[in-house]
Amino acid sequence: MRTRITLSLALAAATLLSGASAATTTLNVFMGSQQRPEIFQPLFDRFQKQNPNIRIKIETGGATSEAQNQYLTTVLAAKDSTLDIFLIDVVRTATFAAAGWAEPLDAYLPSKDTYLKAFLPGPIGAATVNGKLYAMPAFTDAQFLYYRKDLLEKHKAKVPKTWDELASTAARIQKAEGGNLQGFNFQGAPIEGTVCNFLEMTWTGGGSADDVTSPAAKQGLNFLVNAVKTKLSPAASAEMKTDDSRQQFQAGNVLFGLNWSYAWAHFQGNSPQPTKVKGDVGVAALPAFGKNATATCTGGWEWGVNAFGKNKAASVKLLQFMASSGVQQEMAVKGAYLPVRKSLYNDRSVLAANPHFKALYPIVTKARPRPVTPAYPRVSEIIRNNVSAAVAGSKTVDAALSDMKRDLTPLLK
């Protein structure tokens, strides 16, 4: 009798365990290798503890926004349901929405308008297409001017407010320091950061993306090309990618550099590579030409839910967790990610880790978007390839801008 009861209990336990296993949902999350999965893993672990029936598996790939987009395009064009959630650059939303790859989130957020009031308008605007929310902001971003406080102080120089001031200050300090110090580091490889560098140069000259052959656009691209010619910037600038810029600044080889907010944590020592600049780095708004206003490019990344996925409700639950105040606070403190929630720009722990956030908040809120269009991948390709060619010296500035205008005109009507 006892054997029969024991066997029955064992079968019941096995049935329960089998049922528990069947009820477990695994969310496959894709992100780029440069998005620092080590920052996200502890957050995912915490979510799993709070939701025992949900497991999260990270898949990483692609060292650039372009490489990640190429992979996701291949997967989603095939209507593959393997991935549940993907991290995408803010410029991808309109394309993913138009293709039917990203699930609209409105139906999963009953009080959407109330819920979203706590967020910065820029990231929400970037995640919205034709009034529908197609992504959940993960973190926002903008490009800033990083500079060596110690070297400016040593040479009694001020933080430049104009590009001409930057060039003259950098040339003077390069000459005094000798060696291989870069005066100005920017991205000139055919990548997304190069698109932003070109647009920022154009905007800070009073121009717009609507006219890439304007005097402002020509002035801006000429500045980048001349920076290489005069050795203010490295000869290999046409191959410079965002993380190359970060690593070279971190190694102590750069005076002024354009980069995104993620670089700050690396410079302070929260990085796989050693830093030689901890405590010596300042951050400022980008300079401008003449009396024009500063301007920066809206950046950041968003969480999308696979429209062909099978775990959409659980996916949205994870995205709301990732957008919560506590998680956004931790990402800001440990990874220097710019929060998407307004209130965190006055948070003590966030400002203790990133004292520059408070001063840069007005810049972030006024950051300007790249052209919003489903054809953006092609728009980006045209801009970055022509800019890179001009920086490399394989095209003149006039030819690069002329080719750019010819190819962009039918796309931006």
Side-chain angles (χ1 to χ4, degrees):
M1 187 70 173
R2 179 179 295 175
T3 303
R4 194 174 294 170
I5 292 171
T6 304
L7 182 60
S8 298
L9 287 171
L11 287 169
T15 302
L16 283 170
L17 284 170
S18 174
S21 176
T24 299
T25 298
T26 298
L27 297 179
N28 291 306
V29 179
F30 175 81
M31 64 175 64
S33 54
Q34 96 280 22
Q35 297 300 347
R36 307 187 71 191
E38 73 275 9
I39 298 289
F40 289 89
Q41 187 63 64
L43 300 169
F44 290 158
D45 291 343
R46 190 186 312 162
F47 178 82
Q48 289 178 149
K49 286 182 181 178
Q50 296 174 11
N51 300 272
N53 292 329
I54 300 178
R55 305 254 68 77
I56 300 170
K57 182 181 177 183
I58 298 178
E59 179 181 334
T60 59
T64 64
S65 171
E66 294 72 35
Q68 292 155 40
N69 186 60
Q70 186 175 19
Y71 170 73
L72 287 174
T73 296
T74 303
V75 171
L76 297 173
K79 298 185 178 180
D80 193 322
S81 63
T82 307
L83 297 177
D84 293 289
I85 297 168
F86 37 78
L87 197 58
I88 56 173
D89 197 321
V90 292
V91 296
R92 311 290 179 200
T93 316
T95 304
F96 278 51
W101 298 339
E103 176 79 0
L105 306 182
D106 303 60
Y108 302 90
L109 303 169
S111 304
K112 186 188 83 167
D113 292 341
T114 303
Y115 174 69
L116 296 180
K117 281 181 181 177
F119 293 77
L120 293 169
I124 295 301
T128 303
V129 180
N130 297 327
K132 287 186 177 181
L133 189 72
Y134 279 91
M136 184 71 74
F139 53 90
T140 191
D141 213 347
Q143 281 198 323
F144 306 108
L145 180 71
Y146 288 91
Y147 60 91
R148 288 282 299 277
K149 292 190 300 184
D150 56 330
L151 290 177
L152 291 190
E153 184 178 340
K154 176 181 175 182
H155 295 280
K156 296 181 172 55
K158 294 180 180 179
V159 179
K161 294 292 178 66
T162 70
W163 292 112
D164 287 343
E165 287 174 4
L166 181 146
S168 60
T169 299
R172 177 167 69 86
I173 294 178
Q174 273 184 303
K175 185 177 180 180
E177 288 290 315
N180 297 315
L181 180 69
Q182 299 174 27
F184 176 53
N185 183 292
F186 66 94
Q187 291 84 59
I191 61 165
E192 197 58 41
T194 297
V195 177
C196 288
N197 285 183
F198 169 71
L199 290 176
E200 288 157 352
M201 287 287 165
T202 301
W203 292 334
T204 56
S208 75
D210 296 332
D211 185 1
V212 294
T213 55
S214 67
K218 184 173 181 178
Q219 175 182 235
L221 186 52
N222 262 322
F223 183 88
L224 298 179
V225 170
N226 287 333
V228 177
K229 287 181 178 177
T230 60
K231 299 184 180 180
L232 200 68
S233 302
S237 290
E239 300 167 18
M240 190 73 65
K241 297 178 181 178
T242 304
D243 214 47
D244 299 331
S245 294
R246 187 270 299 175
Q247 292 186 44
Q248 292 182 19
F249 193 107
Q250 189 170 325
N253 300 328
V254 180
L255 175 61
F256 295 115
L258 298 184
N259 220 312
W260 303 87
S261 62
Y262 87 106
W264 175 263
H266 285 276
F267 297 158
Q268 302 310 310
N270 187 0
S271 177
Q273 297 90 15
T275 180
K276 293 185 177 180
V277 296
K278 183 177 181 179
D280 291 331
V281 183
V283 194
L286 300 190
F289 289 102
K291 295 183 179 180
N292 287 294
T294 182
T296 188
C297 209
T298 298
W301 291 71
E302 302 168 340
W303 297 109
V305 173
N306 187 352
F308 313 111
K310 296 179 171 60
N311 305 303
K312 295 174 184 176
S315 296
V316 176
K317 188 173 186 179
L318 173 59
L319 301 199
Q320 287 183 280
F321 170 81
M322 294 302 294
S324 66
S325 291
V327 168
Q328 287 284 304
Q329 180 192 55
E330 186 168 329
M331 287 175 60
V333 170
K334 294 186 177 178
Y337 290 106
L338 283 164
V340 296
R341 288 180 172 268
K342 302 172 189 174
S343 61
L344 292 175
Y345 288 86
N346 289 312
D347 182 90
R348 288 183 180 180
S349 61
V350 170
L351 293 178
N354 308 280
H356 58 294
F357 274 19
K358 194 174 185 70
L360 297 181
Y361 178 69
I363 302 169
V364 173
T365 57
K366 292 177 182 176
R368 298 172 65 167
R370 284 157 273 182
V372 179
T373 167
Y376 185 77
R378 178 63 182 142
V379 169
S380 173
E381 182 182 26
I382 292 164
I383 296 174
R384 66 181 187 250
N385 286 347
N386 279 289
V387 172
S388 187
V391 171
S394 59
K395 275 189 183 184
T396 66
V397 168
D398 286 339
L401 295 176
S402 178
D403 290 352
M404 203 186 295
K405 182 172 184 176
R406 178 197 65 209
D407 295 338
L408 287 175
T409 298
L411 298 174
L412 297 179
K413 283 184 177 178

